Amino acid sequence: MANRWRNTLTTADVTPEAMFLNRRQVMAGAAAMGLGLTAAPLRAATGLEPNSYEDITSYNNYYEFGTGKEDPARNAGQLTTDPWTIKIDGLVEKPGDYVLSDLIPQMTTEERIYRFRCVEAWSMVVPWNGFELADLLDLVGVKPEAQYVAFETLYRPEEMPGTRFPVLDWPYREGLRLDEARHPLTLLATGIYGKPMPNQNGAPIRLVVPWKYGFKYIKSITRITLTDKQPKTSWNMANAREYGFYSNVNPQVDHPRWSQATERRIGGGLFARREPTLMFNGYDEVASLYEAMDLRKNF
Ligand code: MTE
């Protein structure tokens, strides 16, 4: 019970941009002083109280390991995540098979405490460790013709019991428009709470796009392709009426089978009041990316 997360957030508490800039300053300051890092001052300053490690690692969606919320924690232990190679190809200057352990030391890794909103109308707050996807894109060099980034999850049936069932067309696929991918909020996460990414959460590296529904956060990425065409995505292929390419959190556009106006906080207890869902999950600074678009059509 000590770990129970209690909601103290109001709309006014959600200042993600200030928060992540802050974090960089905190990190830089701490590094300069040679201090060990702790997220405590930042958390207190922003009021974003993360869910417990237990919540974040025991209530998961990772269909390659089963469709139940407890299946990934139960079944993902057998996944081999080291060594890990990411193929980066398509419209890039330096395509290749990048070994993750060589890549990570070249990136600026930091902690980002973000709200997480699942399309199933539940939410958490997660302290991710990771680096900006933009930094990786700069490292490999994006060609001017590229407009989108496509991602693929590992497909290894012998370690992924859920892939025996045709729930989705494996491998799991996702995509972003290039400006979304380059946005400084967009991360490739390699850990949670300063610990290496647990297998059930998408070890060793997964996408984090905090203004989009959770299914965009593709796990255990083995391929990143720069392209000039909008990539196919697993959930859109499975049900285009219910899952669009953009999948921005939007309380005004309901899922065909349920409302998106409110959300249930995981860890808040069975009788916790549902909270209103915020446009772009509260990350208003991304609104300019969609200014010219009808977000009812482009859901
Ligand atoms: N990635 C893969 N490869 N397979 C999946 O089934 N599920 C998605 C996303 N990434 C999924 C995936 C969905 S629906 C959600 S809500 C989030 O992962 C859940 O992330 P979490 O388990 O870390 O909370």
Side-chain angles (χ1 to χ4, degrees), residues 6 21 47 81 88 108 132 138 170 173 186 209 235 251 258:
R6 289 181 60 236
L21 292 175
T81 59
I88 306 185
T108 308
E132 291 181 12
D138 287 343
W170 318 108
R173 273 164 265 199
T186 305
V209 201
W235 282 102
W258 58 82

Side-chain angles (χ1 to χ4, degrees), residues 60-64 118 153 172 201 206 214-215 217 219:
N60 299 103
N61 278 330
Y62 196 165
Y63 280 16
E64 288 88 332
C118 181
T153 292
Y172 195 96
N201 291 88
R206 58 96 60 93
F215 65 89
Y217 293 47
K219 294 177 167 178

Side-chain angles (χ1 to χ4, degrees), residues 213-245:
Y213 291 121
F215 65 89
K216 297 297 280 185
Y217 293 47
I218 183 170
K219 294 177 167 178
S220 309
I221 297 169
T222 52
R223 186 171 181 189
I224 300 178
T225 308
L226 277 290
T227 158
D228 56 2
K229 291 179 197 66
Q230 184 173 298
K232 290 192 165 161
T233 66
S234 290
W235 282 102
N236 183 253
M237 287 190 286
N239 192 337
R241 202 174 80 86
E242 299 191 354
Y243 307 104
F245 176 78

Side-chain angles (χ1 to χ4, degrees), residues 76-87:
Q78 57 196 304
L79 181 67
T80 314
T81 59
D82 188 20
W84 193 268
T85 305
I86 307 177
K87 180 181 283 300

